[in-house]
Amino acid sequence: MKDYYFIQNEVKNMLTFDRFIHSLGVEKEAIKLGERYGVDINKCRIAAIVHDCQKDLSDEELIKKAMEYKIDVDKIQLKSPQLLHGPVGALYSKEKFEIEDEEIINAVYYHTTGRENMSLLEKIIYIADIIEENRKYFPQLESIRHEAYKDLDNALIMSADSTITYVIKRRCLIHPLTIEFRNSLLLGVK
Ligand code: FE
Ligand code: FE
């Protein structure tokens, strides 16, 4: 794997200033969550800094790269190509930053949709993305932030609810992985 500072610098050059600041915020949050839940801090750090590395690509570029990486693009991703920045970012990171750790790759791959039975690292990246310090206010933000350090799964359910509600209000498509993600968390809750 390439050195952290090399990766950070590459990511900085690929992203708008605000998005780079967001990525640093996700990193800071992911490290705190990693300490709280006993997850390898280095994995948290790397996954967080690269998670949005392909987010500034256009819809056309994302579809093109997804094809190149042989990602099986579904009709929902075709209609909402921004969903592809997770999978494309994951495979890009594997190729360019030589990240071989499957857990890191999966955390990046699924950070937008979620999926069922996520690992702790995947959950941390998913939630850190939502609650990091630079996030613009939305109604549930403070309670999700608080819950993330108390009961991670419950914080994830709250986040999935708020994402799905937002998507429905805008009459956008919901990816099936997001539904599976939410259902698996609800089924796992005592
Ligand atoms: Fe993202
Ligand atoms: Fe993000």
Side-chain angles (χ1 to χ4, degrees), residues 4-5 8 20-33 41 44-51 125 128-129 132:
Y4 168 79
Y5 289 101
Q8 193 207 60
F20 179 63
I21 296 300
H22 160 69
S23 303
L24 291 177
V26 174
E27 182 186 326
K28 190 171 162 190
E29 197 74 49
I31 290 173
K32 281 202 296 187
L33 287 160
I41 300 304
C44 292
R45 205 170 175 223
I46 299 286
I49 198 70
V50 304
H51 85 285
I125 298 303
D129 191 22
E132 63 94 6

Side-chain angles (χ1 to χ4, degrees), residues 46-103:
I46 299 286
I49 198 70
V50 304
H51 85 285
D52 271 346
C53 71
Q54 298 290 283
K55 196 159 173 171
D56 282 329
L57 297 193
S58 67
D59 289 355
E60 295 71 29
E61 284 170 319
L62 278 170
I63 292 170
K64 188 169 162 259
K65 275 203 175 175
M67 304 289 194
E68 283 168 16
Y69 286 131
K70 304 202 185 330
I71 293 166
D72 196 2
V73 179
D74 62 41
K75 53 184 185 289
I76 294 172
Q77 291 165 328
L78 216 46
K79 187 86 182 162
S80 314
Q82 270 309 311
L83 287 170
L84 289 167
H85 82 271
V88 171
L91 299 183
Y92 179 92
S93 300
K94 189 171 183 169
E95 180 189 37
K96 305 281 183 195
F97 306 140
E98 299 166 11
I99 299 172
E100 290 303 331
D101 188 299
E102 279 304 310
E103 218 195 340

Side-chain angles (χ1 to χ4, degrees), residues 97-141:
F97 306 140
E98 299 166 11
I99 299 172
E100 290 303 331
D101 188 299
E102 279 304 310
E103 218 195 340
I104 297 178
I105 298 302
N106 284 333
V108 179
Y109 202 105
Y110 294 105
H111 86 267
T112 315
T113 53
R115 65 161 168 170
E116 54 181 359
N117 305 323
M118 287 163 92
S119 73
L120 256 183
L121 181 68
E122 289 174 53
K123 289 176 177 178
I124 283 176
I125 298 303
Y126 185 95
I127 204 81
D129 191 22
I130 290 167
I131 65 170
E132 63 94 6
E133 63 190 8
N134 308 297
R135 264 286 170 205
K136 270 206 224 80
Y137 172 84
F138 64 94
Q140 294 289 302
L141 182 56

